Amino acid sequence: APATRLARTVPLASPSHSRLFAEGGRDKRPEDASASDPNPGGLSEWSTGSDDGDSPSNSGGFLDTLQAWAQSPEGRGDIQTYFFSLTLALVLRVAIIEPRYIPSLSMYPTFDVGDQLAVEKVTKRLRPFERREVVVFNPPQAFKDIVGSSRTGKEALIKRIVAVGGDEVEVKNGGRLYV
């Protein structure tokens, strides 16, 4: 024989709920309580349901339930919210900001291995680069040829600008850089 369960809903915030526990588990609600039901559409009286999957709420499969939800006003609102959020996230990721991580010690001590960055992509289109700025860029083909195929094609370089156009750069005194 299938197991049968009894269910009764009692809203957690209702005055009758606190009265239920204060008076030894007996519900002393007045008969006209349905006029101010804080849980409209919910179960207000005892109902039976079986665990064998034959109840009306379980008669369809997962896809039927999903389709019914998608056609409901609540489901449509949720779907619109999900797609709007996804679209906004993709636009931000492609056009404005991009997450990056530091894979090596080449920028130490400014950045350590494993540090995560949010790289902003708009400023480079609005003004020229300045000295001491940290930039992220795709390496030129000559760099890829020298390094070889050990690096992936999508890996960008993260470096600091030490000089801009018109600056004279010299390396002297054992490897010190002078601008």
Side-chain angles (χ1 to χ4, degrees), residues 71-90:
Q71 292 174 351
S72 71
E74 177 185 359
R76 287 182 185 160
D78 288 349
I79 290 170
Q80 287 175 349
T81 301
Y82 298 149
F83 278 110
F84 176 76
S85 300
L86 179 64
T87 302
L88 181 63
L90 289 175

Side-chain angles (χ1 to χ4, degrees), residues 12-72:
L12 293 177
S14 77
S16 64
H17 184 260
S18 57
R19 217 175 27 243
L20 177 70
F21 288 105
E23 298 181 11
R26 290 170 298 177
D27 190 359
K28 303 266 184 175
R29 289 188 294 172
E31 294 301 319
D32 64 336
S34 62
S36 63
D37 186 7
N39 185 18
L43 295 176
S44 58
E45 295 300 322
W46 292 99
S47 65
T48 61
S50 62
D51 291 335
D52 61 1
D54 289 337
S55 65
S57 62
N58 293 334
S59 62
F62 173 74
L63 293 178
D64 294 335
T65 304
L66 184 62
Q67 183 179 12
W69 170 80
Q71 292 174 351
S72 71

Side-chain angles (χ1 to χ4, degrees), residues 103-119:
S104 69
L105 287 173
S106 69
M107 288 292 295
Y108 184 79
T110 305
F111 301 119
D112 205 353
V113 174
D115 284 353
Q116 296 180 356
L117 307 175
V119 178

